[in-house]
């Protein structure tokens, strides 16, 4: 068995699309793991995994890509600010908070971007934002708590916003201390934990629709449909697409923004 064969026969059992993990860097990471376990071939590791749930979790952890950045897909943030958030707020009673869930939030870059967007354009209206951010990787959540990022994390965010909201400490940029507490953080696995309900928007970018198998994507899409309030929006990554057969659950407003259809939609 070679590396490609190993990926093909193992990763679908973890709910992952094997083609996404062919890079040399991921191969290297897995080889280091084989060395730790004193295993000598891909087929030995393949068999070992099947008897060992803990090792399957370990491998999932090794495969996790945690790269993110502020304002990722800047055009999306502009569309949210000018069109889609105002549209939802118009329909929402003034005393009801806007509820957003950022699923797979990495080290906080996405929910903090949403919080900054809110501060800039909507907070003045007196409306309230409830922002929930979740990730399966506790190390990511710990980094979000620190709220310190390299300049490269801000390359898509308008510079004036970085200057307004971050303190430059020798090339590392820190968010204001209180920002962390304005978001509810949760360790949550999209594959094994039930979705959080009652959201007006769910962001799931560069995660389920990038790395998960089609059947898992279908299951998660049904879960997101239930987790969104009527008329709620599901926001994907720039290169993500909903799985085939989602047409009865969501309709595209403007890629990558999809509107939840009502349950009785034909
Ligand atoms: C590539 S990052 C995307 C971050 C952000 N959404 C963005 O688009 O920039 C993927 C994130 O998903 C998390 N993740 C991976 N598998 C997950 C799972 N099963 N449940 C929840 N989060 C997961 C990773 O820890 C990582 O932080």
């Amino acid at each position: 068995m070679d590396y490609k064969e190993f990926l093909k026969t193992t990763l679908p059992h973890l709910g992952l699309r094997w083609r996404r993990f062919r890079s040399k860097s991921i191969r290297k990471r897995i080889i280091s793991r084989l060395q730790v376990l004193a295993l000598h071939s891909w087929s030995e590791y393949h068999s070992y995994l099947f008897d060992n749930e803990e090792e399957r979790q370990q491998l999932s952890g090794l495969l996790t890509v945690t790269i993110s950045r502020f304002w990722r897909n800047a055009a999306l943030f502009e569309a949210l600010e000018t069109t889609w958030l105002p549209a939802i707020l118009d329909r929402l009673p003034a005393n009801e908070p806007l509820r957003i869930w950022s699923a797979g939030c990495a080290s906080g870059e996405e929910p903090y971007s949403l919080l900054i967007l809110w501060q800039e354009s909507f907070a003045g209206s007196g409306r309230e934002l409830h922002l929930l951010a979740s990730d399966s990787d506790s190390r990511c959540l710990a980094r979000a708590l620190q709220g310190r990022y390299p300049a490269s994390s801000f390359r898509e965010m308008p510079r004036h916003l970085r200057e307004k909201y971050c303190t430059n400490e020798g090339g590392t940029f820190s968010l204001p201390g209180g920002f962390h507490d304005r978001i509810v953080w949760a360790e949550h696995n999209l594959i094994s934990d039930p979705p959080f309900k009652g959201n007006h928007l769910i962001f799931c970018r560069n995660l389920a629709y990038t790395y998960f198998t089609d059947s898992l994507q279908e299951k998660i899409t049904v879960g997101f449909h239930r987790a969104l309030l009527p008329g709620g929006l599901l926001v994907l990554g720039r290169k993500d697409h909903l799985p085939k057969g989602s047409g009865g659950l969501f309709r595209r407003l403007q890629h990558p923004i999809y509107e939840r259809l009502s349950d009785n939609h034909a």
Side-chain angles (χ1 to χ4, degrees):
M1 180 185 279
D2 60 11
Y3 179 55
K4 184 172 155 190
E5 199 58 30
F6 168 79
L7 292 180
K8 251 180 165 172
T9 53
T10 311
L11 266 53
H13 296 280
L14 304 177
L16 299 174
R17 283 181 165 166
W18 67 272
R19 283 193 176 80
R20 294 278 167 192
F21 299 93
R22 285 176 295 179
S23 73
K24 280 192 183 144
S25 63
I26 289 192
R27 184 170 183 270
K28 257 189 177 170
R29 274 189 232 168
I30 308 181
I31 288 178
S32 307
R33 182 67 192 155
L34 258 72
Q35 285 163 350
V36 170
L37 296 168
L39 297 174
H40 300 101
S41 69
W42 293 111
S43 56
E44 266 184 80
Y45 189 41
H46 178 79
S47 313
Y48 184 79
L49 280 161
F50 273 82
D51 296 332
N52 194 328
E53 164 64 26
E54 241 174 69
E55 185 58 28
R56 285 199 291 277
Q57 283 177 16
Q58 183 80 30
L59 177 60
S60 294
L62 280 185
L63 295 170
T64 302
V65 178
T66 58
I67 295 166
S68 186
R69 55 186 176 273
F70 285 77
W71 244 252
R72 187 174 197 173
N73 187 3
L76 166 71
F77 279 82
E78 199 182 316
L80 287 170
E81 180 179 17
T82 56
T83 308
W84 304 112
L85 289 179
I88 292 199
L89 288 169
D90 271 354
R91 296 197 308 258
L92 199 65
N95 57 354
E96 246 188 71
L98 179 73
R99 295 177 194 278
I100 303 183
W101 173 21
S102 162
C105 66
S107 303
E109 296 87 340
E110 179 175 276
Y112 283 136
S113 297
L114 293 168
L115 183 57
I116 291 172
L117 180 68
W118 180 262
Q119 281 300 113
E120 277 299 295
S121 301
F122 303 98
S125 68
R127 308 291 294 251
E128 215 185 307
L129 172 67
H130 284 195
L131 190 47
L132 168 69
S134 67
D135 202 279
S136 59
D137 189 332
S138 57
R139 292 164 302 184
C140 284
L141 297 173
R143 284 196 291 270
L145 171 61
Q146 289 179 351
R148 302 175 79 239
Y149 303 88
S152 58
S153 296
F154 297 92
R155 67 171 196 265
E156 280 197 70
M157 177 161 143
R159 203 185 165 92
H160 74 274
L161 292 180
R162 188 189 78 185
E163 278 161 11
K164 180 168 172 185
Y165 287 94
C166 300
T167 312
N168 184 349
E169 292 161 354
T172 297
F173 292 83
S174 295
L175 290 169
F179 262 32
H180 183 264
D181 297 338
R182 296 191 48 193
I183 298 173
V184 174
W185 303 88
E187 193 173 328
H188 174 275
N189 192 316
L190 265 189
I191 301 178
S192 49
D193 297 325
F196 297 103
K197 298 253 174 84
N199 304 284
H200 297 106
L201 284 109
I202 297 177
F203 286 75
C204 184
R205 305 195 301 151
N206 308 297
L207 168 55
Y209 303 103
T210 307
Y211 296 109
F212 294 176
T213 55
D214 290 353
S215 57
L216 189 53
Q217 288 188 13
E218 284 162 20
K219 189 177 151 217
I220 284 172
T221 305
V222 170
F224 284 156
H225 183 263
R226 290 200 191 113
L228 279 166
L229 293 163
L233 304 184
L234 175 59
V235 182
L236 313 186
R238 201 165 55 82
K239 293 186 186 163
D240 292 341
H241 292 280
L242 289 179
K244 286 194 193 89
S246 308
L249 300 176
F250 289 96
R251 81 178 169 110
R252 184 166 77 173
L253 292 178
Q254 169 190 3
H255 183 76
I257 303 174
Y258 292 77
E259 183 183 39
R260 177 200 193 276
L261 294 173
S262 58
D263 292 319
N264 54 13
H265 185 83

